[in-house]
Amino acid sequence: MEAALTKFKNFLGFAAEDDFEKKKTVKFGDPSAAGQGRKWSVLSLIIILTAWVVLCELEIVPPLFWPSPLAVLEKFWTIATEGYRGHTLLGHFLISLYRVMAGFLLGTICGVLLGIAMGLSSVVRGLFDPIIELYRPVPPLAYIPIIIIWMGIGDGGKIMLLFLATFAIMVINARSGVKSVSVEKIHAAYSLGANRWQVLRHVILVNALPEIFTGMRVSMGVCWATLVAAEMVAATAGLGWMVLNAARYLRTDIVIMGVIVMGIVGYGFDMIMRLLEDKLIPWKGKT
Amino acid sequence: MSTPNSHSELRVENLCMTYHTEDGQDVHALEDINFNMDEGNLVVVVGPSGCGKTTLLSTIAGFLAPTSGRILLNGEEIEKPGAERGVVFQKGALFEWLTVYENSVFGLKMRGVDEAKRHERVMNYLDLVGLTDFVDTPIYNLSGGMQQRVAIVRCLANNPSILLMDEPLGALDALTREKMQTLILKIWKETGKMVFFITHSVEEAIYLATDLFVMSARPGKIMKRYKLDFCHKGLEKDPRELKSDPEFIKIREEVLSLIWSMEEETAAHAG
């Protein structure tokens, strides 16, 4: 019981201050002295929720602009069970998830392959560099008009859009991952009797994994943001579409609920990627 | 421990290495290097920075092709890296995604040696360097000294004719460094391999070498050669005692002043 309580206190950030930390005289500017500040996070969440409840209960803000937390929670339940315009919340989520995953996976596979080729060969690098450098800085949303003209408003267009967003990021990261291998490792592998193919597979590729994974985390975030925006422009289902459609009918409760769900899902993606990273690449940052 | 079935020897003949810099100058990194090595030789090279020590090692390892001259290992000319020449780098050459055992077995695995045989060989050498308790430890959890021991084991596992060591102890703290010097002597004695060793530390060089070469910079030449025998006493006698032996100190000071005068000459030229 005692132990569980301490653990909970630690989780909330109310652990006793480290004795050694207390003895430091220089605290301003020392990054380790700044700490996590988790107790302040807890505090800020409590303040936000309280303010929300108070503002709505006192009817300072009309519910049309900002519905009460209870109303939002209620909407969450109704849409989760009864659905909104043909799909339940899970349905809308799965439709969005399918688009994200398809675009993300295709973009990752193709991007990693091209990035590795560009890292290894100056010919490939020279050939593809102009294209990548030109299209990379363009925000993915800028392609929506042309993609709608080409592919309509179905799933294909959205997957194409997410593919483009992922592809550029993955090419850049895979290429720099390949380049990051130290010449000592390459020399050592050849001296130990490895051939070219083995050096590629057992040294260059494995060595590039941390950077490839960083690219995957970044593009996962970009994909999610881009998809929601794309669904708002052109779609007939999906979380982004649900929010936009609800806004047309001034269903603010559904809008707020949808936005919160999107935020949580995006956060969840990042958590999953981090977890995978810890499991699959434990050596990251430990050279 | 195993000794190579056939006799090993290294011959370096009239080796020259010249390259052009961007501003059109010729740099004579190596000029007319000649020496032979036999089984049981531990050649140590010292010299001021930029004297071409690492270039020399790289040509023997096969990472660089010489401008002229040739290097023969057991009668065969060296053209590219190979498993019969194990290379130990200063740092950063281990594969941090593998464990101690996986790193040690890397060469044998790449070369298709069967599992039972490679396990036996690697465990043998891990035992020699005292790492049997750490087989499953990831590399990044080891201290610098232990990492270098793994680097040596993974070369030995291939049963090479020669070990090429490029300042292998340069990144270690002083105490670990001394312990590792003794360990290197022990490995050299037990395996009977030729060892080609580069270092910045004159004391380390005199302690380890059967043959000590002092190199000069630009052109990189072998200025002076010493035949030494402190390495034969190194395992029986206390290393600190040996290193404070009057004879040891005399040679150390002689080599040091030689290197000092060369450094000053280069500095004067540069100024």
Side-chain angles (χ1 to χ4, degrees), chain A:
Chain A
M1 192 59 211
E2 187 79 1
L5 195 71
T6 325
K7 222 174 163 185
F8 185 65
K9 263 171 95 179
N10 285 350
F11 175 74
L12 292 182
F14 287 97
E17 200 185 353
D18 188 317
D19 200 35
F20 182 73
E21 290 295 322
K22 275 187 200 158
K23 293 195 165 59
K24 287 184 177 172
T25 55
V26 177
K27 287 190 176 168
F28 184 79
D30 178 348
S32 68
Q36 293 263 322
R38 197 179 266 157
K39 58 182 157 196
W40 299 107
S41 307
V42 173
L43 187 70
S44 92
L45 279 177
I46 291 172
I47 291 174
I48 291 170
L49 271 175
T50 322
W52 188 0
V53 172
V54 170
L55 284 179
C56 293
E57 286 304 310
L58 298 180
E59 293 186 9
I60 295 170
V61 185
L64 179 63
F65 291 122
W66 198 258
S68 75
L70 214 65
V72 171
L73 212 64
E74 224 180 282
K75 262 298 148 253
F76 177 79
W77 182 249
T78 351
I79 294 184
T81 49
E82 288 162 26
Y84 182 81
R85 314 242 156 182
H87 297 282
T88 59
L89 190 60
L90 185 69
H92 284 296
F93 167 68
L94 287 179
I95 288 165
S96 296
L97 184 70
Y98 161 69
R99 292 165 180 162
V100 165
M101 280 302 158
F104 171 75
L105 289 178
L106 280 176
T108 301
I109 294 166
C110 299
V112 166
L113 287 178
L114 181 63
I116 287 166
M118 285 174 80
L120 292 173
S121 147
S122 53
V123 177
V124 181
R125 181 177 182 146
L127 283 175
F128 286 90
D129 224 18
I131 309 170
I132 300 285
E133 290 303 329
L134 274 177
Y135 108 84
R136 188 177 63 104
V138 181
L141 289 176
Y143 302 119
I144 288 184
I146 192 76
I147 286 177
I148 291 178
I149 293 173
W150 287 347
M151 311 188 70
I153 60 165
D155 278 349
K158 272 156 218 82
I159 293 171
M160 175 81 189
L161 183 72
L162 300 183
F163 170 84
L164 286 174
T166 307
F167 184 71
I169 298 173
M170 292 316 295
V171 168
I172 305 283
N173 275 270
R175 186 179 72 188
S176 87
V178 167
K179 291 249 162 199
S180 75
V181 69
S182 72
V183 68
E184 284 87 2
K185 284 196 180 65
I186 301 293
H187 279 171
Y190 280 116
S191 288
L192 288 167
N195 58 33
R196 274 182 183 210
W197 167 245
Q198 289 171 326
V199 168
L200 175 63
R201 162 142 163 41
H202 295 285
V203 183
I204 297 176
L205 288 189
V206 190
N207 186 76
L209 278 182
E211 287 201 51
I212 290 176
F213 226 89
T214 306
M216 285 168 75
R217 251 184 78 190
V218 172
S219 46
M220 197 70 191
V222 171
C223 272
W224 187 239
T226 309
L227 173 77
V228 168
E231 284 179 345
M232 288 186 173
V233 179
T236 52
L239 283 180
W241 172 83
M242 181 186 86
V243 167
L244 190 82
N245 193 272
R248 289 214 178 108
Y249 301 98
L250 288 179
R251 301 299 306 272
T252 325
D253 44 1
I254 298 179
V255 173
I256 301 282
M257 185 275 287
V259 168
I260 293 175
V261 168
M262 287 173 201
I264 292 172
V265 169
Y267 184 70
F269 279 153
D270 202 54
M271 283 288 120
I272 292 170
M273 292 305 278
R274 271 192 224 189
L275 215 72
L276 279 177
E277 197 171 32
D278 285 350
K279 278 264 175 287
L280 298 176
I281 316 175
W283 70 88
K284 189 180 179 185
K286 290 180 177 163
T287 337

Side-chain angles (χ1 to χ4, degrees), chain B residues 60-75:
Chain B
I60 302 174
F63 306 143
L64 289 172
T67 311
S68 64
R70 53 182 197 160
I71 306 169
L72 300 166
L73 179 67
N74 307 331

Side-chain angles (χ1 to χ4, degrees), chain B residues 178 181 203 207 239-245 248-249:
Chain B
E178 296 224 27
Q181 289 167 0
E203 188 182 86
Y207 178 63
R240 282 308 334 156
E241 204 177 299
L242 197 63
K243 287 172 184 173
S244 47
D245 184 286
F248 192 102
I249 292 173

Side-chain angles (χ1 to χ4, degrees), chain B residues 10 12 14 19 50 63-64 106 122 125 129 159 192 235 261 266:
Chain B
L10 180 84
V12 177
N14 309 320
Y19 51 88
F63 306 143
L64 289 172
F106 185 86
V122 164
Y125 286 116
V129 302
N159 196 19
L235 287 179
S261 64
T266 346

